[in-house]
Amino acid sequence: MIDLFPLVRPLVHALDPETAHNATIKALRLGLTGKIGAEKHDPVLRCEVFGLDFPNPVGLAAGFDKNAEVIRPAHKMGFGFAEAGTVTPKPQVGNDKPRLFRLTADRAVINRFGFNNRGLDYFEGRLRTLPAARGIFGANVGANKDSEDRTADYVSGINQLYGLSDYFTVNISSPNTPGLRALQSKAALEDLVGRVLDARQGKMAAGAAHVPILIKIAPDLLDDDIRDIADVARSSTIDGLIVSNTTITRPESLKSRDKDEAGGLSGAPLMGPSTEILSAVYKATDGQVPLIGVGGIASGADAYAKFRAGASLVQLYSALVYDGPGLVSKINRELAALLKADGFASVADAVGVDQH
Ligand SMILES: Cc1cc2nc3c(=O)[nH]c(=O)nc-3n(C[C@H](O)[C@H](O)[C@H](O)COP(=O)(O)O)c2cc1C
């Protein structure tokens, strides 16, 4: 399949970033992009994590598909799994525009969307249109900005979507909803985890299957925060952690005009810092909690570095803005070659090897 993205990129990037994104979602929904990647997966990439069987370990990160509208196209791009959301109980318009910035010279993105989404009812409706035989899908749930009980919002998301999603992500690390990241502190997290796990217990008591629940954390955490989160993850039945969301820091190296816009920074400059935090979380959890490594992945080598640092799966978003959908198959090909060159029979064999 010829990759047309390099040809259309100047046109796409001539649009303001949010318009370009909305046009991409429309094109994907209409199937205009056709079969972009290969759905054939190299067997070395197959992996089982939290009881799910992934055809490859490279997933679409949350935020690209806020309303669960392009899950099938994401699988067709070659992703081994797709995460949609963040979805909040009530529809929400998000922050004022502009709220999405391309930092082209840095191969980075800044966003301050603030959970713009169509709400749980719409999201649920979208999931009900999916065929039973589909790729792995995760629902990323959040809280409304004006909510009086944010924890109750996460519980509502899990209750309403239970049985429709292969796993859940509890997103407590967006920098664009004031106060949200305070849920990462120990007491708040224990309360949140307790209530979320009670919701699952309730579903299972009524006969539903076990659905994995993951917590997505920020890259801007101190050592004490990491220790606390690791303690909560290890002492509860939480199934994994996603490391990480966007950063509120601004590395010195940034060159682009919009580098000081408020919001979360993602893409290439996040690769180093998010991999360091991943490594610290792997150590703090003694490798006992499955981790999804996210932040700055734009090549097979980047993905491989996350596995070696302790990730069992990876996700990406920002690199798609610069490299287009053909990137997914390329990363999978490069990753398979790197694993084989180092004599690994599977992704699982490479997890955390740089830590031992
Ligand atoms: C435009 C944009 C919107 C995002 N929205 C969400 C979101 O709604 N929920 C979430 O958990 N993460 C969101 N993220 C964070 C990504 O899922 C990911 O954690 C982060 O961008 C780092 O990965 P990357 O460098 O590959 O983009 C968003 C990222 C971007 C660039």
Side-chain angles (χ1 to χ4, degrees):
M1 185 87 192
I2 304 165
D3 186 3
L4 295 176
F5 187 76
L7 292 177
V8 299
R9 181 177 39 212
L11 297 175
V12 176
H13 282 204
L15 299 171
D16 98 86
E18 188 165 348
T19 308
H21 177 74
N22 293 339
T24 305
I25 296 286
K26 272 206 187 94
L28 289 170
R29 284 191 73 174
L30 292 169
L32 293 183
T33 46
K35 186 169 186 302
I36 309 145
E39 270 191 279
K40 275 201 203 108
H41 305 282
D42 190 313
V44 77
L45 297 178
R46 192 166 210 105
C47 45
E48 201 192 308
V49 186
F50 30 78
L52 300 173
D53 192 9
F54 294 81
N56 74 60
V58 181
L60 175 63
F64 180 84
D65 185 9
K66 298 251 186 202
N67 299 303
E69 293 173 317
V70 292
I71 294 163
R72 289 292 297 139
H75 292 132
K76 285 186 186 157
M77 271 184 224
F79 281 115
F81 63 111
E83 185 168 315
T86 294
V87 60
T88 56
K90 289 183 292 171
Q92 195 166 274
V93 291
N95 293 323
D96 292 342
K97 296 176 188 173
R99 52 195 182 173
L100 178 62
F101 304 88
R102 272 185 223 111
L103 278 60
T104 305
D106 302 300
R107 292 182 63 86
V109 172
I110 290 177
N111 91 83
R112 52 169 180 267
F113 272 115
F115 291 167
N116 56 314
N117 78 101
R118 301 180 70 167
L120 269 178
D121 289 345
Y122 180 85
F123 197 98
E124 180 193 349
R126 292 294 310 163
L127 299 190
R128 292 198 180 278
T129 68
L130 290 174
R134 52 158 173 83
I136 294 180
F137 160 75
N140 177 310
V141 295
N144 279 114
K145 188 179 173 185
D146 62 1
S147 171
E148 291 195 352
D149 181 355
R150 287 194 167 152
T151 299
D153 282 13
Y154 292 96
V155 170
S156 299
I158 288 170
N159 276 332
Q160 188 163 340
L161 302 176
Y162 209 91
L164 295 170
S165 180
D166 297 308
Y167 72 88
F168 286 103
T169 299
V170 173
N171 176 17
I172 50 172
S173 47
S174 166
N176 301 314
T177 297
L180 192 85
R181 288 172 305 156
L183 289 169
Q184 294 174 120
S185 69
K186 194 165 192 184
L189 187 61
E190 277 171 342
D191 175 57
L192 173 69
V193 163
R195 286 166 68 183
V196 156
L197 293 176
D198 281 351
R200 173 168 73 185
Q201 204 46 50
K203 291 286 179 184
M204 289 174 66
H210 175 276
V211 175
I213 299 180
L214 320 177
I215 308 278
K216 183 165 178 179
I217 62 174
D220 309 317
L221 297 170
L222 304 173
D223 290 349
D224 285 353
D225 304 325
I226 292 174
R227 223 182 357 261
D228 287 349
I229 291 169
D231 283 352
V232 175
R234 287 205 67 181
S235 60
S236 70
T237 56
I238 280 295
D239 299 85
L241 297 170
I242 305 191
V243 190
S244 71
N245 215 310
T246 56
T247 178
I248 54 168
T249 65
R250 295 291 180 268
E252 286 284 310
S253 62
L254 295 181
K255 300 183 277 286
S256 306
R257 188 193 56 198
D258 290 332
K259 64 181 180 170
D260 293 321
E261 287 291 344
L265 173 76
S266 56
L270 184 56
M271 175 68 197
S274 63
T275 308
E276 270 174 38
I277 296 286
L278 173 72
S279 184
V281 173
Y282 184 83
K283 281 196 198 116
T285 51
D286 290 329
Q288 299 299 305
V289 177
L291 307 177
I292 301 186
V294 203
I297 295 175
S299 68
D302 292 339
Y304 190 45
K306 298 271 189 197
F307 293 114
R308 295 185 62 107
S312 292
L313 297 164
V314 295
Q315 292 175 324
L316 63 100
Y317 177 173
S318 300
L320 289 177
V321 173
Y322 297 103
D323 295 325
L327 178 67
V328 186
S329 302
K330 181 170 160 275
I331 289 179
N332 275 315
R333 271 197 313 276
E334 291 173 352
L335 179 61
L338 287 164
L339 288 165
K340 288 174 194 172
D342 284 347
F344 293 117
S346 70
V347 177
D349 291 348
V351 174
V353 288
D354 283 349
Q355 308 278 0
H356 305 135

